[in-house]
Amino acid sequence: MLNESTAERLIAHALAQGADFAEVYAERTKSRNLRLLDLEVQEATSGIERGAGIRLFFGTQVVYAYTNDLSEANLLEVTDTLARLKGGGGRVDARGAGGLDFRKTAPAGLHAPERPFEAHDKRWRIERLAEADHAARVGPEIKKVQIHLLERDQEILVANSEGVWNTDRRVRTRYMVTAIAENERGLQTGFAGPGLSVGLELFDLEPPAEHGRAAGEQARTLLGAKPAPAGPMPVVIGNAFGGVIFHEALGHLLETTSVARKTSVLTDKLGEKIASDAVTYVDDGTLPHAWGSSEYDDEGAPTERTVLIEKGVLKSYMVDRWGSLMTGYRPTGSGRRQDYTYAPTSRMRNTFIEAGDASIESLFEGIEFGLYAKKMGGGQVKPGSGEYNFAVQEGYVIRHGRVEEPVKGAMLVGKGPESIQRIVAVAADRKNAPGMCGSLSGSIPVEVGQPHLLISEIVVGGEG
Amino acid sequence: MTLQEAQTYLLRRARERGVELEALATGSRELTLRARGGDLEEITEAESAGIGVRVVTGGKTGYAYTEELTPEALDWMLAEAVENAELQADTDGFLPQGRSLGRHDLLGEGLSAPVDEKKQVALALEREVQKDPRVRQVGAATYAEREHQTELASTRGAAGGFRSGYAYQMVNAVMGEGASVKQGYELKVSREVAALDPASTAQDFLYKTGRLLGARPLASGRYTAYLEPKAFLALLAPFVSMWSAKQVIEGKSRLADKLGQQVASAVFTLYDDPDHPEGLANAPFDAEGTPTRRVYLLREGVVESFLHNSQTARKLGHEPTGHASRSYKGVLGVAPHNLIVAPGAGVRLEEGVLVTDLMGVHAGANPISGDFSLQALGLKVEGGEAAYPVENFTISGNVFELLERIVAVGQDLEWSVIFLVGASPMVEVADLAFAGA
């Protein structure tokens, strides 16, 4: 993508303009998308994204540019433009004169695919997806099944003025099944969407029939669902994608992107007890083949396992280079970006609540009236006030300790710091699930996860 | 290779292979300036470009794109697009007959102010907001501009392009009073840098976020909802796809059999205007070269039209409406340009809840079932005025019931670009379910 001498000259040129730090990020990504409706290909597209981003620091000031033209002449010109925009320029730094000694590292292949995309043709993919389509048709109510298949093969290079020279390759595959059910009561949808940092072995690791059936059954269940109850009540949240509530209510509040600007309500709280004893919260970018894993982050730092909260006590934030500069906290390999069109910011990777020791049954016992939020949709947070929301995709009423009829249209709302204090019991069945997270540096793959857990009180928004 | 050279190369190669091809190319420029502590904290400057093709062979359609403009990458793209087409079962695909579309400049001199003037917008915005002692932290005070050159060419004779763009200023900050803390934002967009006024945007931010401080819980119940323009557009956004003829054909729209029928209150009219004097997404032609025009989605509550591209129009036997949408990376879709809620006779506050903002729209609204349940921010309305702020509550229901229960529409249009590009006045909805304490 970029040869060493070009990177070196570029970085030297930036330092000569007075930058304290210079970084070049180059990327080439091949992607393929397929959309099937009732197994007929509706849309198929393939693409190459290729570009570079140059980031300079002048103190804590960040100056960023990106371009698709990777010629040395253009990259040098872009650097000049940046220095001019910064308003400085002209100051010659002695460091700019000499060459850089890049410490080259290559990925060890921790998340390398077993079956690369070239291993099978597109017909093979459609045959495997057909298993999901067939399985989704759990009854005559299922009228349509839509399946998306996404494949991405991203190669990146990060080089900087501290001698970092990292390459990484991220291969990711995901398919998403939406089942549409219809009867005289209306239309409802069910969803399942497994994804991993693997190649086409995804179809063996996450069997299409299993996920197809889950989507079909969810759509059918929702057809019979009544409007959700409303008001504050105890809520049991299911495992896997249930973790999205703490991704919103807690995770985003621990990114230095808002902590460094003091726009997070959890700023300056290291060492403080912010959650109940039952909560240990981890962000782990090293989990083998997980959807949000990579060997290096998008600043060229190795990813790591970061314990954010241990038994309720805040242990670490998620720290990128700029966040570290602003706060003095140790970088945690959390600098991520969607692609070269974004400068990196601190972001989550695979973030989950660790397993506890409560039995699942015990979570429901003693609830006179509450909600079982079995499957989650997405959510959103305002870090400055901690106000968050997230949608319940599949929910049930809990009465006298028993899970009863399904309900639709429930949304949970609250303030993150209050909700984490109210986690009173955590089960042992921790599981992760993939999703996409949108923030300042774009939309990136992350996993969320947790075991089944009980929150003593949360506001449920519903119509019933 | 330049984008135009790449287009010429692709048309030649497509003719050699005997496939019909449409090449959509976009060149973009971006400038973002973010202030913090009286100086710029972040500067982003960029130029990027890409080209995407739609090929039709034997009535089958396939797509591919590239940002690498070498002959090798262009050949790979063409081969992939043909292979993708061959997977399709549908043999009704076609490229519309094209014509010369001309060169249009919708931006003019709107963004041509010196950089220093643009820096001052961001710096002034931060300064003005900080004048209020209730502002605890400014997350971002930003000036940004985007400029796009769109070029369309096809083997069936389409050829033309247009230049568009806009500038915006945005402030995102945390305000506090005692223990009550609220984070809010204010965004103003214009096709003219000169029209951005940091002082008045700062005032709007302080008023809109400040009025929510000291919020109390809202008791669950059914209330009259007074939805401010941005909140109403946010609520409407996920459901606009019901008017997409593509969704209708695929059996994913509940409006499929409702053309000519009353589905909303008679005081409610919704139209798309690609040529609005203040339009932020104006376009002379759509993504496949069909000229655009004003189209009514709902006129006095009656479904008047779906939104079409050439494919959906032929399938349903309707006229194309100029709503083909595609980015160079994407596939052919259907989308509105500037969606406008027609101003009405006015709204008078009586009793209910003034909804100022909605959150969770991407997850809490289902465009297929029409169900929604969304976190809301707002003020309790008592005795004809906004009496006090309320928090920690949601609004829920089904969009069809909501459209039927619209009782009044305000007189003043306000623009939004957050969930869709459009403008709306305040909208009053009777008897909406609110869940709170």
Side-chain angles (χ1 to χ4, degrees):
Chain A
M1 282 180 286
L2 209 60
N3 67 42
E4 200 176 322
S5 61
T6 298
E8 215 171 274
R9 273 194 287 274
L10 191 64
I11 290 169
H13 188 61
L15 296 180
Q17 308 273 336
D20 299 304
F21 169 80
E23 170 195 82
V24 55
Y25 168 94
E27 171 187 4
R28 189 171 195 269
T29 300
K30 262 192 181 180
S31 63
R32 292 194 172 95
N33 299 324
L34 203 55
R35 183 171 74 92
L36 308 177
L37 185 67
D38 296 338
L39 284 183
E40 283 193 359
V41 174
Q42 299 294 314
E43 290 153 357
T45 184
S46 315
I48 296 172
E49 280 149 61
R50 192 210 56 167
I54 298 167
R55 186 168 61 144
L56 312 180
F57 281 20
F58 294 84
T60 57
Q61 190 177 52
V62 179
V63 189
Y64 190 70
Y66 62 85
T67 177
N68 303 121
D69 180 351
L70 305 195
S71 68
E72 184 168 322
N74 182 60
L75 293 173
L76 286 170
E77 195 184 312
V78 166
T79 309
D80 276 339
T81 309
L82 278 185
R84 221 176 26 250
L85 270 174
K86 197 272 170 210
R91 184 163 82 86
V92 176
D93 190 303
R95 287 171 304 171
L100 274 172
D101 183 15
F102 288 124
R103 297 180 300 277
K104 287 200 172 186
T105 55
L110 296 180
H111 315 290
E114 252 174 52
R115 272 200 266 168
F117 297 133
E118 301 74 45
H120 298 284
D121 66 13
K122 290 178 181 166
R123 302 270 168 207
W124 181 90
R125 291 157 163 83
I126 294 170
E127 281 165 28
R128 293 305 307 268
L129 294 170
E131 297 167 25
D133 181 285
H134 296 320
R137 296 175 195 277
V138 294
E141 308 91 337
I142 306 295
K143 304 294 183 197
K144 287 189 179 294
V145 178
Q146 173 168 284
I147 307 178
H148 273 108
L149 174 65
L150 314 173
E151 301 170 10
R152 273 176 85 75
D153 184 347
Q154 183 192 43
E155 290 178 86
I156 68 146
L157 161 70
V158 188
N160 73 28
S161 53
E162 291 171 356
V164 165
W165 180 282
N166 284 124
T167 54
D168 200 5
R169 182 173 179 193
R170 296 91 176 245
V171 174
R172 293 192 172 97
T173 311
R174 187 179 190 193
Y175 65 86
M176 295 181 283
V177 187
T178 305
I180 301 174
E182 187 177 16
N183 65 8
E184 64 290 347
R185 299 179 60 180
L187 277 172
Q188 289 294 339
T189 58
F191 176 81
L196 291 168
S197 285
V198 298
L200 294 173
E201 67 267 35
L202 177 74
F203 290 109
D204 298 329
L205 298 168
E206 299 285 356
E210 210 172 276
H211 291 283
R213 195 177 311 114
E217 274 167 7
Q218 189 179 64
R220 188 165 62 169
T221 300
L222 287 174
L223 272 184
K226 294 180 188 156
M233 63 187 77
V235 177
V236 175
I237 301 177
N239 64 356
F241 204 68
V244 72
I245 183 174
F246 298 108
H247 171 101
E248 299 301 343
L250 192 51
H252 279 297
L253 277 48
L254 297 175
E255 295 166 341
T256 46
T257 303
S258 52
V259 169
R261 295 189 178 93
K262 299 188 189 296
T263 53
S264 162
V265 287
L266 293 177
T267 303
D268 296 332
K269 295 239 188 305
L270 274 188
E272 286 182 34
K273 187 95 175 3
I274 60 161
S276 80
D277 287 341
V279 178
T280 292
Y281 197 45
V282 176
D283 180 50
D284 190 346
T286 69
L287 294 176
H289 300 288
W291 179 243
S293 290
S294 59
E295 286 196 46
Y296 293 93
D297 74 0
D298 294 314
E299 299 183 321
T303 53
E304 60 172 54
R305 174 188 161 91
T306 309
V307 177
L308 302 167
I309 295 171
E310 195 167 21
K311 294 190 168 56
V313 177
L314 183 60
K315 291 288 185 186
S316 178
Y317 295 107
M318 285 167 274
V319 187
D320 63 336
R321 172 176 288 275
W322 179 83
S324 177
L325 204 59
M326 291 286 287
T327 61
Y329 299 138
R330 180 186 66 83
T332 55
S334 303
R336 301 189 67 192
R337 51 178 134 197
Q338 177 180 311
D339 55 40
Y340 66 87
T341 65
Y342 294 87
T345 59
S346 60
R347 301 291 294 270
M348 286 176 261
R349 299 163 302 207
N350 307 298
T351 319
F352 51 86
I353 291 186
E354 282 280 32
D357 50 14
S359 71
I360 295 177
E361 302 72 43
S362 72
L363 303 181
F364 294 89
E365 280 165 17
I367 297 179
E368 270 311 294
F369 185 82
L371 182 77
Y372 174 32
K374 189 179 176 191
K375 295 267 167 63
M376 296 301 150
Q380 197 186 354
V381 70
K382 294 191 175 206
S385 58
E387 289 169 289
Y388 72 84
N389 63 74
F390 74 110
V392 179
Q393 207 182 349
E394 183 181 339
Y396 299 83
V397 165
I398 306 169
R399 248 185 232 100
H400 313 301
R402 278 196 307 274
V403 176
E404 297 196 331
E405 75 275 13
V407 291
K408 62 177 183 180
M411 175 164 265
L412 308 187
V413 301
K415 294 185 179 176
E418 286 170 20
S419 300
I420 49 174
Q421 304 274 7
R422 292 186 184 145
I423 299 177
V424 290
V426 178
D429 61 339
R430 198 264 286 176
K431 216 179 149 189
N432 285 6
M436 296 303 290
C437 168
S439 185
L440 277 182
S441 59
S443 176
I444 56 172
V446 297
E447 282 191 359
V448 298
Q450 67 173 30
H452 271 81
L453 53 80
L454 168 63
I455 301 185
S456 58
E457 187 182 284
I458 196 163
V459 171
V460 177
E463 238 190 313
Chain B
M1 226 186 273
T2 66
L3 285 175
Q4 263 130 346
E5 285 164 355
Q7 277 182 329
T8 308
Y9 179 86
L10 286 164
L11 292 186
R12 179 168 62 77
R13 297 286 287 157
R15 288 194 179 104
E16 284 166 15
R17 291 191 66 155
V19 297
E20 297 287 357
L21 178 141
E22 175 188 79
L24 181 72
T26 310
S28 301
R29 188 182 63 76
E30 156 184 2
L31 174 69
T32 304
L33 306 169
R34 191 157 75 196
R36 184 183 162 82
D39 196 4
L40 291 184
E41 176 189 63
E42 197 174 311
I43 303 171
T44 298
E45 206 268 349
E47 276 193 21
S48 61
I51 189 163
V53 293
R54 172 164 65 135
V55 304
V56 178
T57 172
K60 298 179 172 192
T61 308
Y63 300 86
Y65 65 92
T66 181
E67 295 173 346
E68 198 171 77
L69 301 182
T70 59
E72 297 74 35
L74 296 174
D75 286 340
W76 176 85
M77 168 169 70
L78 186 56
E80 278 284 326
V82 170
E83 189 193 331
N84 286 337
E86 283 161 358
L87 292 173
Q88 243 205 345
D90 187 349
T91 54
D92 295 335
F94 67 96
L95 290 186
Q97 181 58 52
R99 60 183 180 82
S100 180
L101 298 160
R103 290 254 160 318
H104 308 262
D105 185 356
L106 309 183
L107 184 58
E109 295 299 305
L111 303 181
S112 60
V115 172
D116 207 53
E117 212 167 283
K118 296 169 181 173
K119 277 187 192 174
Q120 292 312 318
V121 172
L123 297 176
L125 192 55
E126 187 194 31
R127 208 170 46 235
E128 292 291 330
V129 162
Q130 280 173 330
K131 284 182 180 166
D132 190 315
R134 295 172 301 168
V135 170
R136 295 198 175 157
Q137 297 296 337
V138 179
T142 304
Y143 168 86
E145 64 187 37
R146 303 281 186 271
E147 185 184 327
H148 302 286
Q149 178 69 36
T150 303
E151 292 289 332
L152 186 73
S154 81
T155 52
R156 300 208 62 205
F162 62 93
R163 174 173 169 262
S164 58
Y166 55 87
Y168 69 86
Q169 56 173 342
M170 199 265 288
V171 60
N172 175 342
V174 180
M175 293 180 80
E177 209 167 44
S180 177
V181 178
K182 290 285 165 190
Q183 184 169 21
Y185 71 90
E186 186 64 22
L187 174 71
K188 283 278 155 56
V189 191
S190 173
R191 293 188 336 227
E192 306 275 338
V193 177
L196 300 179
D197 176 0
S200 90
T201 299
Q203 284 309 314
D204 287 350
F205 166 81
L206 294 169
Y207 166 70
K208 288 184 184 172
T209 303
R211 67 185 167 166
L212 299 174
L213 289 169
R216 313 173 200 171
L218 175 74
S220 297
R222 303 187 77 90
Y223 298 94
T224 293
Y226 303 94
L227 292 145
E228 286 196 342
K230 284 176 181 170
F232 185 73
L233 288 168
L235 176 60
L236 194 62
F239 301 112
V240 174
S241 64
M242 296 193 305
W243 275 272
S244 156
K246 191 169 166 176
Q247 297 292 100
V248 170
I249 289 164
E250 293 185 4
K252 293 188 284 193
S253 169
R254 284 186 55 176
L255 289 178
D257 52 359
K258 299 278 196 298
L259 268 188
Q261 290 185 33
Q262 185 96 30
V263 301
S265 154
V267 301
F268 191 67
T269 291
L270 180 68
Y271 61 93
D272 184 53
D273 187 352
D275 190 29
H276 194 281
E278 291 172 62
L280 297 168
N282 287 359
F285 54 85
D286 71 7
E288 46 181 8
T290 305
T292 57
R293 58 184 166 88
R294 180 188 285 206
V295 170
Y296 282 84
L297 282 66
L298 286 174
R299 202 195 291 255
E300 294 174 359
V302 175
V303 182
E304 186 164 303
S305 177
F306 298 135
L307 301 178
H308 283 287
N309 57 38
S310 68
Q311 311 280 325
T312 63
R314 183 182 280 189
K315 269 214 163 78
L316 290 185
H318 297 180
E319 283 298 308
T321 58
H323 289 95
S325 75
R326 175 156 85 93
S327 73
Y328 69 82
K329 290 185 193 178
V331 298
L332 191 71
V334 171
H337 303 281
N338 299 301
L339 207 61
I340 315 279
V341 174
V347 169
R348 230 183 61 218
L349 299 187
E350 285 170 23
E351 301 289 322
V353 180
L354 179 70
V355 177
T356 62
D357 197 6
L358 293 173
M359 290 171 65
V361 171
H362 65 295
N366 187 324
I368 296 179
S369 67
D371 293 335
F372 66 87
S373 183
L374 305 167
Q375 183 175 17
L377 300 171
L379 297 108
K380 187 77 189 350
V381 176
E382 290 175 357
E385 60 180 40
Y388 56 88
V390 284
E391 65 181 3
N392 250 14
F393 64 96
T394 66
I395 58 169
S396 19
N398 187 280
V399 71
F400 288 99
E401 289 165 16
L402 179 129
L403 290 173
E404 284 171 9
R405 289 188 193 143
I406 293 174
V407 290
V409 178
Q411 296 175 319
D412 301 320
L413 278 185
E414 196 178 318
W415 284 83
S416 175
V417 291
I418 297 289
F419 295 101
L420 54 75
V421 179
S424 176
M426 187 183 288
V427 174
E428 179 183 346
V429 178
D431 195 30
L432 192 62
F434 286 71

